[in-house]
Amino acid sequence: MADTTDTMVHDTNRQYAEVMAKCRDIFQKKLQDYGASWRIMRPETITDQIFIKAKRIRNLQLVGESLVGEGIEPEFMGIVNYGIIGLIQLECGFVDSADITAEEALAAYDKHAAEIKQLLFAKNHDYDEAWRQMRVSSFVDIILTKIDRNKEIEDNGGHTIASEGVGSNYMDMVNYAAFALIKLSE
């Protein structure tokens, strides 16, 4: 039994690294196109951007057709990247114009991606890879729930009584989107 678990963990390590590398590549290419223009966004705007992507995925799952010719994979990648952007914005605050270089943005991205990976592997250990038995549609519903929670927290000025807060929800959204991307690639 230990061999099976070790193999699954090893596969998760490899698969997660591959998915996150693809997301980082897109992030880097968009930095070349637009710079760090996202530095202007308030966390609420980032939450709404993630909402748009998750809502589109859910609609594509329900309707089964895309009129703009893009599938759900790029949207999940967008959730990963906007989730990390959200964490950067929570840490640094928003500004009136882009104020960091592409290199600084990538360093911040990598820092938060590493923290998210640590969280994933801690939870993955405790939950025994339960996500592998879940449906991609469930990941979308959970992401939409996390978005709704963030909206409530943001509308309450960021104050919480019992929850972990906006940043924790961003981290979970990134990981659920990564799980979805892994499942879609299998």
Side-chain angles (χ1 to χ4, degrees):
M1 181 78 158
D3 291 345
T4 304
T5 303
D6 289 342
T7 301
M8 282 195 295
V9 169
H10 178 71
D11 284 345
T12 299
N13 277 318
R14 179 185 53 76
Q15 290 173 305
Y16 188 82
E18 288 171 2
V19 160
M20 293 304 287
K22 286 180 185 176
C23 293
R24 186 186 188 278
D25 183 59
I26 294 295
F27 181 82
Q28 185 173 18
K29 286 176 180 171
K30 290 197 176 194
L31 270 175
Q32 290 172 347
D33 289 345
Y34 309 127
S37 60
W38 46 265
R39 288 285 294 127
I40 296 167
M41 291 183 183
R42 292 172 280 185
E44 298 86 353
T45 305
I46 295 163
T47 298
D48 285 343
Q49 281 294 121
I50 297 170
F51 170 75
I52 290 167
K53 297 196 169 299
K55 190 69 173 170
R56 181 167 186 271
I57 294 167
R58 187 172 179 165
N59 188 56
L60 291 174
Q61 289 173 332
L62 294 172
V63 174
E65 146 182 55
S66 169
L67 296 182
V68 295
E70 291 182 356
I72 62 175
E73 204 170 314
E75 301 297 351
F76 277 120
M77 293 173 80
I79 291 171
V80 167
N81 287 340
Y82 273 112
I84 294 173
I85 286 169
L87 292 168
I88 295 169
Q89 294 298 82
L90 288 174
E91 179 181 46
C92 299
F94 62 91
V95 294
D96 289 332
S97 62
D99 63 343
I100 60 175
T101 65
E103 293 78 21
E104 291 167 328
L106 283 168
Y109 184 99
D110 291 342
K111 173 189 166 219
H112 288 286
E115 291 169 358
I116 294 166
K117 182 180 179 182
Q118 282 184 321
L119 174 67
L120 173 122
F121 284 101
K123 286 186 174 185
N124 202 33
H125 173 270
D126 290 355
Y127 289 100
D128 194 28
E129 300 237 334
W131 65 272
R132 290 196 177 272
Q133 305 305 314
M134 293 174 65
R135 298 172 187 96
V136 172
S137 60
S138 294
F139 297 139
V140 177
D141 292 349
I142 292 168
I143 290 168
L144 285 165
T145 301
K146 298 278 182 187
I147 291 165
D148 206 46
R149 290 177 182 175
N150 268 9
K151 286 181 178 186
E152 289 292 324
I153 294 167
E154 290 162 353
D155 290 347
N156 195 28
H159 302 291
T160 60
I161 296 170
S163 75
E164 295 173 311
V166 171
S168 293
N169 283 325
Y170 281 147
M171 292 175 89
D172 287 344
M173 287 182 231
V174 168
N175 282 331
Y176 282 115
F179 289 155
L181 288 165
I182 290 168
K183 290 202 65 125
L184 289 169
S185 72
E186 293 180 330

